[in-house]
């Protein structure tokens, strides 16, 4: 995600902490200065974040800005069955799975992962939207059991990963980082495997990027997305652990031996 866009030229609803969000249908449209912008203010506490995600809303703002809440339309979503495993990535993952010193872990270094994402340079950006308030908010969400890290480890070193939010069977991707080539893609592929094994149909990607599209993500009408979130969030969520045999969900060729 890029830095938050200008909010000039149109009033934005201002929330006090604990106030309900406006309906997502009131978010700014494509003709407005910041499509998807819904509200400003409020708080980044666990209850507010859970309420937001359950309604297809997410926070996104830069340093010096108030908390800004967004609900983009259409919504970029990765249907896990549509994940594109290009030949080069399949080879990279096969080598990773075959390396006894390489593994995927969940939730062992969440704090390092979110800070890695915060400090990761982004094309066309001079700063980060993962400001200190956001880091603290998602650390609290992690402690409450709703935010998770998917970590790529090689030779005992954390080399990349991603973090996401999960409410029941609704999963919302947030950000990735990498310190070696393709480490973040390996983490995303591991998340896809985990979702396939546990019957999680999609991962929210929030906004359209060429990188996400190349991996199979596609746009979905916001109304459809919100309906699916409402259904999936009510389902009992899986245990967030990764087994190496989950790699076999990347069929047709198994990657992990029995």
């Amino acid at each position: 995600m890029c830095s938050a866009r200008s909010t000039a030229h149109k009033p934005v609803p201002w929330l006090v902490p604990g106030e309900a969000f406006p309906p997502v249908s009131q978010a700014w449209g494509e003709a407005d200065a910041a499509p998807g912008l819904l509200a400003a203010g409020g708080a980044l506490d666990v209850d507010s974040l859970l309420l937001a995600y359950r309604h297809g809303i997410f926070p996104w703002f830069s340093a010096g800005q108030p908390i800004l809440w967004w609900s983009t339309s259409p919504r970029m979503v990765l249907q896990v069955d549509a994940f594109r495993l290009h030949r080069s990535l399949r080879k990279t993952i096969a080598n990773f799975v075959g390396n006894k010193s390489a593994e995927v872990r969940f939730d062992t270094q969440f704090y390092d992962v979110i800070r890695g994402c915060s400090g990761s340079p982004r094309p066309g950006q001079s700063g980060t939207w993962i400001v200190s308030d956001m880091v603290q908010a998602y650390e609290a969400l992690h402690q409450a059991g709703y935010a998770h890290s998917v970590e790529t480890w090689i030779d005992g070193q954390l080399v990349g990963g991603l973090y996401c939010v999960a409410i029941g069977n609704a999963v919302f991707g947030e950000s990735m980082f990498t310190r070696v080539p393709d480490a973040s893609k390996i983490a995303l592929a591991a998340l896809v495997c985990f979702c396939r094994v546990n019957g999680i149909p999609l991962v929210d990607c929030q906004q359209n990027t060429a990188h996400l599209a190349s991996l199979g993500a596609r746009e979905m009408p916001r109304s459809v997305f919100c309906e699916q979130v409402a259904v999936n969030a009510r389902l009992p969520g899986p245990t967030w652990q990764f087994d190496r045999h989950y790699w076999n969900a990347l069929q047709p060729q198994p990657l992990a031996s029995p």
Side-chain angles (χ1 to χ4, degrees), residues 22 68 109:
L68 300 176
Q109 296 293 334

Side-chain angles (χ1 to χ4, degrees), residues 30-166:
E30 289 298 320
D32 297 314
L37 181 61
L38 178 66
L44 288 173
D45 59 273
V46 170
D47 288 343
S48 296
L49 286 169
L50 292 178
L51 183 63
Y53 279 99
R54 286 180 182 275
H55 289 85
I57 302 165
F58 59 91
W60 177 35
F61 59 97
S62 299
Q65 293 182 320
I67 302 170
L68 300 176
W69 300 94
W70 303 76
S71 185
T72 50
S73 182
R75 191 70 162 238
M76 194 70 164
V77 171
L78 176 61
Q79 303 274 4
V80 297
D81 286 341
F83 178 65
R84 286 185 181 174
L85 190 62
H86 298 288
R87 181 179 299 176
S88 60
L89 181 56
R90 174 173 285 279
K91 182 177 180 180
T92 296
I93 293 174
N95 291 336
F96 178 87
V97 173
N99 182 352
K100 293 183 179 180
S101 67
E103 61 179 322
V104 167
R105 303 177 188 173
F106 282 6
D107 291 336
T108 69
Q109 296 293 334
F110 181 88
Y111 312 107
D112 289 342
V113 169
I114 193 171
R115 284 171 172 79
C117 293
S118 176
S120 182
R122 313 284 177 186
Q125 295 185 40
S126 57
T128 179
W129 60 273
I130 311 175
V131 296
S132 59
D133 287 349
M134 291 281 274
V135 171
Q136 294 174 18
Y138 284 85
E139 287 178 349
L141 205 59
H142 171 66
Q143 292 171 356
Y146 295 101
H148 301 278
S149 56
V150 179
E151 308 155 5
T152 305
W153 289 79
I154 299 177
D155 295 327
Q157 300 294 316
L158 177 66
V159 297
L162 61 84
Y163 73 98
C164 60
V165 173

Side-chain angles (χ1 to χ4, degrees), residues 145-214:
Y146 295 101
H148 301 278
S149 56
V150 179
E151 308 155 5
T152 305
W153 289 79
I154 299 177
D155 295 327
Q157 300 294 316
L158 177 66
V159 297
L162 61 84
Y163 73 98
C164 60
V165 173
I167 305 172
N169 259 17
V171 176
F172 310 83
E174 287 297 315
S175 187
M176 302 188 295
F177 84 103
T178 189
R179 292 173 180 153
V180 301
D182 292 330
S184 60
K185 292 181 181 179
I186 291 171
L188 179 59
L191 178 60
V192 166
C193 290
F194 175 80
C195 289
R196 288 180 176 178
V197 169
N198 287 284
I200 297 170
L202 57 84
V203 176
D204 175 34
C205 301
Q206 299 177 351
Q207 298 197 61
N208 193 337
T209 68
H211 173 65
L212 291 169
S214 72

